[in-house]
Every structure is written in structure tokens, then in C-alpha cells.
Amino acid sequence: MGTAIAQPRFVFYRMDLTGRSVVWDPSMLNSRCKPILICIVVNVFAAVACSQDIPAEPQLPDRKEWLSQRALEFASYRFEIEGAGRKLLTFEPKPVLDWSNPERNTFFGVTFVWTREGRPELIGSAYGRGRSLRHEFHSLSTEPIVAERSGNRVHRFQPGIEWRELAGAPEPAASSASRLTQMRRQAERFEMTMIFRRPVESHHPLRLLTRPAYPLPGTAVNEVALFLFVQGTDPECVLLLEAKSDKTWRYAFARQNEGSLQANLDGKQVLDMPPHWPLPGSGLPPPGSESAYITVTPPEAKAAP
């Protein structure tokens, strides 16, 4: 008979709770411990395999690159005041606001304005990316505006605002800096709420950005300041304030979403704007083909992979 070969026996040393060195022999594992170890090993391998099946979240594009692309897209639009001697609006290439709205999963947004002789006449925002990219516009003019892009008609905007007298305001100050302070104080008199009625009615108080988005006062004969009410930093409503040459003030509103908007001035309601797309059975007509507000799915979104 052959000589039996002794199997090597491994002995490990460890420290017990008192700091003494004790011997630990793997052969001391009893039959109850071995199944537990097997289960642990199996679960570890299963967890590794499962983690490989979870797709990685898509990487967000570079924000500066995204903003640059939107600026190029908006610069390609052509907006004209309609009527005798059509007046081309000027695109202001510097955004008035770079924004986001995590509450509605919008991580990329930017807002621009188009002007005539220094006065804002149209506001536009871009948001989303890929196939979700959208362009949104609202007229800030009391005259019709025609929009074109690449030689094609995009839309005809009906007059987009209605000026109202701002009672209780002081006489406009002589200096531009003082008028800016006055404008900010007058804007703070307003409170704005955005209302969505589907799937259930929800009210969202909006926050005023106390610094006007455009322009710096003093750029026009009758100064107009554009203030924004936001959710997150997402503009939902425009407030225009004008210090007139006859020493009076006036104001106007424009939407930046499809929901309802309500505004209070000194605690008294001065605006109850219905949703852009009325609820079924409301009796309100749908927006016409020449509405003052539109949302466009541009070709760049349709061409996205």
C-alpha cells in the first residue's frame, strides 16, 4: 500500500477582544456555518451580475455648448413688426436668463429677447434637449409680429400685451439709478401664482427675480423694465413696467407656460389668465392660429437621434 500523503493544515491567528492572540482553524467550521458561507458567495456574485444589467444614466451635454447651439438657433429667426414700413426686431445675443427647473425635470433652459429701439418686443425660451428640445415665444408688442425662419413662415403673433395704469406709484425719479430702485419696489407689489388643472388642480406661487432681466434703465425714451416670475429659475410669467415721459407708470403681463396665471397687486387680484389650452367643457375657445404665445418643436429636435 502506498504511503498516505498528509494534507496541509492551515492555521490562522487572530486577536480576541482582550487583545490576546488565539488560534483559528478553518476545520473548526461546523456544518451549520458552511451553508451560510455558500449563500454569501452566491449573493455577492448575483449582485455583481445584476449591477452589470443596469444601464448607465445618459450623460448631460456640456452646458456652454448647449447654450451656444440655442443662441445660433434663435439668431436664425426673423421677427418683424407688421404694417406699413415693416420693422425688423433686433435679436439680443446675450441671454437675459440661463435657467433650470428640477421640479419639472428641466435641467437646461435659456431665455432671449428681441427689441425695437431698445424696447423688448418679443421674448423666447429654449428648453430640453434631443427630441425634447422646444422653442417657446410670446409677443411683448401691441402690434402684430410676423415670424420666419430659413425663409419659411413660422407664425403670426397677434398683439401680445395690454398696458394698464399702475396706480399708487410715485412720480418717476430723475436719475436712471433711482428709477431702477423705483421699478424694483413697484414689481414687489405684485404676487403671482401659476395654476395647473390637470390631472388635478395644483397652485404654485411664483418667485419674483427682483433684478429686471432686461433692459438696463435709460436705454429708451419711455423706459421699460422686464421682470420675471419664476419656479426654480424657470420663467413662468413676464411683468413689464414702464416709466412714461408724462410722469406716470403702467404695467403688462405675458405668459411663459400653458397653465393659468393669477396676479395680485397690493393684495387685490388684477389678473386671472385662463390656460393656453382650455379644459374640455370650459366653454373657452382654443388658441387661434395667430395666438400671442406659441411653443415650437424645431427641426433640430426632429433630426435628433
Side-chain angles (χ1 to χ4, degrees):
M1 296 178 61
T3 304
I5 301 176
Q7 296 296 323
R9 184 169 179 267
F10 298 95
V11 176
F12 301 91
Y13 294 86
R14 64 177 178 83
M15 302 294 291
D16 67 6
L17 296 177
T18 64
R20 295 176 300 176
S21 178
V22 297
V23 177
W24 180 77
D25 187 343
S27 65
M28 296 167 60
L29 287 173
N30 58 32
S31 58
R32 293 182 180 179
C33 294
K34 291 179 180 179
I36 295 176
L37 288 176
I38 294 173
C39 289
I40 292 173
V41 172
V42 170
N43 287 334
V44 168
F45 280 106
V48 172
C50 181
S51 65
Q52 294 175 348
D53 293 335
I54 299 175
E57 293 186 3
Q59 185 176 2
L60 293 176
D62 179 76
R63 192 173 193 90
K64 289 185 178 180
E65 180 180 349
W66 185 92
L67 291 171
S68 177
Q69 292 172 346
R70 305 295 81 79
L72 290 174
E73 291 165 7
F74 274 27
S76 68
Y77 283 93
R78 179 184 177 90
F79 296 99
E80 283 187 321
I81 300 291
E82 195 177 58
R86 294 165 70 108
K87 301 177 179 65
L88 181 66
L89 298 185
T90 301
F91 173 61
E92 303 295 338
K94 183 178 180 180
V96 298
L97 190 65
D98 172 8
W99 54 268
S100 64
N101 190 344
E103 189 169 339
R104 299 220 298 268
N105 295 319
T106 304
F107 299 100
F108 291 86
V110 64
T111 300
F112 296 90
V113 295
W114 286 256
T115 62
R116 177 177 61 169
E117 299 176 359
R119 294 171 62 90
E121 296 284 338
L122 186 134
I123 188 168
S125 292
Y127 56 89
R129 62 188 190 278
R131 295 187 179 181
S132 298
L133 177 65
R134 298 293 183 269
H135 293 173
E136 174 186 61
F137 302 100
H138 198 295
S139 168
L140 304 178
S141 177
T142 56
E143 303 174 75
I145 296 176
V146 175
E148 296 181 353
R149 191 181 187 201
S150 303
N152 298 317
R153 172 73 70 91
V154 175
H155 190 66
R156 181 183 184 272
F157 297 87
Q158 64 187 22
I161 59 171
E162 178 183 349
W163 287 108
R164 309 178 187 188
E165 180 185 354
L166 179 58
E171 181 177 309
S175 73
S176 180
S178 296
R179 285 193 298 275
L180 172 59
T181 300
Q182 287 180 323
M183 289 177 173
R184 295 172 68 175
R185 298 291 84 81
Q186 298 312 303
E188 291 169 356
R189 295 170 59 190
F190 292 86
E191 295 177 342
M192 186 69 60
T193 301
M194 175 176 60
I195 304 172
F196 291 112
R197 305 187 188 277
R198 287 182 290 185
V200 295
E201 184 168 313
S202 58
H203 292 235
H204 305 268
L206 301 178
R207 177 173 58 92
L208 171 68
L209 299 181
T210 56
R211 182 178 179 83
Y214 183 90
L216 294 178
T219 60
V221 175
N222 288 347
E223 292 178 344
V224 178
L226 188 157
F227 289 87
L228 297 172
F229 284 88
V230 301
Q231 182 185 54
T233 53
D234 177 1
E236 305 291 357
C237 183
V238 176
L239 169 66
L240 296 172
L241 288 177
E242 180 177 18
K244 299 181 64 180
S245 56
D246 63 1
K247 308 299 182 182
T248 62
W249 295 80
R250 61 181 183 173
Y251 68 95
F253 297 106
R255 68 165 68 247
Q256 281 288 273
N257 68 73
E258 297 187 351
S260 300
L261 290 168
Q262 292 181 349
N264 289 347
L265 171 60
D266 298 331
K268 181 180 179 180
Q269 188 175 92
V270 292
L271 177 72
D272 188 6
M273 186 181 295
H276 183 62
W277 293 98
L279 294 174
S282 65
L284 297 173
S289 59
E290 298 184 354
S291 63
Y293 167 83
I294 60 168
T295 301
V296 176
T297 301
E300 289 81 359
K302 297 176 181 177

